[in-house]
Amino acid sequence: MEPDSDDEEELQQSNSASDSDDEEELQQSNSVSDSDDEAELQQSNSVSDSDDEAELQQFKSASYSDDEEDQEDLFEPEPEPEATVVLTDREVFDCPICLDQLFTPVFQCENGHIVCSSCCSKLKRKCPFCNMRIDIRCRGLEKFLQSINILCKFAHNGCTKTMPYSKKIEHEQVCQHVTCFCPYPSCSFACSPSLLYSHFGVHHELSTTRFTYNTTFSVSVEINQKQIFLQERHGSVVFILHHEVQQHGRAFYVDCVGLSTLKDMFAYHLTAESVDMDTYVTLKSVPEVHTELPKHTFLKKYLTVPSAFAGDNGILSLSVCITKDDPAALEVQEGERGRGLHDHDAHKVLKVVLNNPGALDCSICHKPLWTPVFQCESAHLACSSCHSELKGEFSFCGYNYNRCRGLEKVIESIGKISCKYAKFGCKETQPYNEKIKHDKDCPCATCFCPHCTHHHVPLLVLTRTCTFTLGSNMQLTSPDSATGLHFLFV
């Protein structure tokens, strides 16, 4: 019986050891597996959190960038303020002596009478109005002239160009809308070249001979006929064949009414034959171009045709050929044909754009100037009030003040001036002497943003664009129903 007992104990020990080893192996395996799973889970969560945070940062960055871009767009720097000024005196910028346009330098005597530099030299610096010496520069008027853009003088014919004052004459010499006068006797019609062509074809059709460029055509000229009007079928220039009976025969030449820039574009060829066709005379020349047909004697270049070339009835047959060298040069002018006048009253007033409205402000108190106006040699301007306080001497430069009558004349001729807040939507114009009152009460007046302190915008724009930037301790209310005002609580 004892051997069985020993065997049973050994078996139990063996099973116990085996179970213990299996359990340890299982626990060890589970521990390793759990550790690996936890590590993988932590790594996965860490990657996921890192990705989410990166996406969030990217989203925030994009949002802030968009907000900054929007804010930049809303507060782009505004252009320099401008003012539209309507002057009732169209000759306010003309020299009172020669009547030509004034340009820098402009001179004046001690009494403020102005003259251009050319007249100043011709007058030997002696004023023709008061005999005082002309030795003062009219700096106030010069400053104003340098600060303006001006409409073309042919705006009433449809020209919409504006240019610096110094470029005005240069533009008007080549303007496509220059005023041309109808050459037909007793007709007072005046307009742009293209409209003149249309007018002539409608109102003087029976007195006009139609032709084609670069093609020879014949005209019959009676002995008492002084002018024959010619129109190209598809052009926009009116030609005039002039005829005069002279002692040695009959003289002919051609000129035209149109743009001065067309002068070298045309040529004409005149030929006359004798009755028996065995003799002929010819002339090839270039026509003069005028905006208004001058009342002058015959030109040096003309064709003289012997009287014997005419028939018994005095009618002379003349061959004419008008050539055009540059067919494309009339495209702009022809494109304007048929348009009406854009502004019938534009020639009654003078409109200018003042690029620097400060040119009409006192250099001391910065209020709009009114007569009398005083200036120093450094172009500082003073109103009468500031001039009295300074006792005639400017504290910045030490120069004495003189009356600036040239600028006074400009100020007195201002009929209307645009609001200083025009760029913010104000469409009002007012007399110059009411400008301060209007600017003070203008609903489009600028207000300073409490957040963007470097900007000033209309209050309506401020409430629309800047409320999201107010601090946590600030609140901008809706407009009051009675006054339309906004209130800022801090």
Side-chain angles (χ1 to χ4, degrees), residues 269-284:
H269 195 175
L270 303 179
T271 304
E273 291 186 333
S274 61
V275 178
D276 54 12
M277 303 182 67
D278 61 351
T279 307
Y280 70 92
V281 291
T282 185
L283 170 69
K284 186 174 183 180

Side-chain angles (χ1 to χ4, degrees), residues 1 86 156 194 246 251 376 396 431 433 463 472:
M1 295 295 293
V86 179
H156 63 285
S194 56
Q246 296 180 339
C376 73
F396 294 161
N433 59 354
T463 57
S472 58

Side-chain angles (χ1 to χ4, degrees), residues 284-314:
K284 186 174 183 180
S285 185
V286 176
E288 292 290 331
V289 182
H290 313 279
T291 55
E292 183 175 11
L293 202 62
K295 297 178 180 179
H296 54 60
T297 57
F298 257 58
L299 300 177
K300 292 182 179 179
K301 291 184 178 180
Y302 56 87
L303 176 66
T304 299
V305 180
S307 301
F309 277 37
D312 295 337
N313 55 4

Side-chain angles (χ1 to χ4, degrees), residues 353-367:
V353 177
L354 187 57
N355 299 319
N356 176 22
L360 290 175
D361 292 345
C362 174
S363 301
I364 302 165
C365 65
H366 304 293
K367 294 180 179 178

Side-chain angles (χ1 to χ4, degrees), residues 164-423:
Y165 180 79
S166 59
K167 303 290 185 183
K168 182 174 182 286
I169 292 180
E170 179 183 338
H171 163 78
E172 290 172 355
Q173 288 176 343
V174 297
C175 180
Q176 300 287 330
H177 301 273
V178 61
T179 298
C180 291
F181 296 84
C182 181
Y184 193 83
S186 72
C187 182
S188 60
F189 186 78
C191 60
S192 64
S194 56
L195 290 177
L196 177 62
Y197 180 89
S198 301
H199 159 83
F200 216 91
V202 172
H203 296 277
H204 310 301
E205 183 179 10
L206 298 179
S207 304
T208 303
T209 299
R210 297 277 183 170
F211 71 96
T212 303
Y213 288 126
N214 307 315
T215 302
T216 301
F217 60 98
S218 296
V219 293
S220 297
V221 185
E222 297 179 5
I223 194 168
N224 61 348
Q225 196 171 4
K226 294 183 177 181
Q227 294 172 330
I228 295 177
F229 299 99
L230 311 172
Q231 272 191 298
E232 208 274 338
R233 299 180 187 278
H234 306 290
S236 54
V237 180
V238 178
F239 293 88
I240 304 96
L241 173 64
H242 295 272
H243 169 228
E244 183 177 291
V245 178
Q246 296 180 339
Q247 182 178 1
H248 303 291
R250 297 163 68 170
F252 297 90
Y253 74 94
V254 174
D255 60 8
C256 65
V257 174
L259 296 174
S260 60
T261 53
L262 306 180
K263 181 175 181 180
D264 298 325
M265 185 185 303
F266 302 109
Y268 67 90
H269 195 175
L270 303 179
T271 304
E273 291 186 333
S274 61
V275 178
D276 54 12
M277 303 182 67
D278 61 351
T279 307
Y280 70 92
V281 291
T282 185
L283 170 69
K284 186 174 183 180
S285 185
V286 176
E288 292 290 331
V289 182
H290 313 279
T291 55
E292 183 175 11
L293 202 62
K295 297 178 180 179
H296 54 60
T297 57
F298 257 58
L299 300 177
K300 292 182 179 179
K301 291 184 178 180
Y302 56 87
L303 176 66
T304 299
V305 180
S307 301
F309 277 37
D312 295 337
N313 55 4
I315 296 177
L316 189 147
S317 179
L318 197 67
S319 295
V320 182
C321 180
I322 299 177
T323 60
K324 182 173 66 171
D325 295 334
D326 185 2
L330 286 178
E331 286 182 0
V332 175
Q333 196 181 134
E334 291 175 0
E336 296 292 327
R337 190 187 309 157
R339 294 186 183 179
L341 299 182
H342 288 244
D343 187 353
H344 294 276
D345 297 324
H347 64 288
K348 298 179 182 178
V349 296
L350 183 63
K351 293 182 181 180
V352 301
V353 177
L354 187 57
N355 299 319
N356 176 22
L360 290 175
D361 292 345
C362 174
S363 301
I364 302 165
C365 65
H366 304 293
K367 294 180 179 178
L369 291 165
W370 192 249
T371 55
V373 177
F374 299 88
Q375 65 165 12
C376 73
E377 187 62 26
S378 295
H380 298 126
L381 302 175
C383 61
S384 58
S385 176
C386 292
H387 177 261
S388 299
E389 292 178 6
L390 293 171
K391 297 180 180 180
E393 184 174 307
F394 194 75
S395 58
F396 294 161
C397 62
Y399 286 110
N400 292 326
Y401 274 95
N402 295 287
R403 286 284 293 275
C404 186
R405 295 190 186 273
L407 188 59
E408 288 178 6
K409 187 178 179 183
V410 171
I411 291 173
E412 289 170 349
S413 70
I414 295 177
K416 296 282 187 177
I417 187 169
S418 62
C419 174
K420 66 184 293 186
Y421 304 115
K423 64 179 179 178

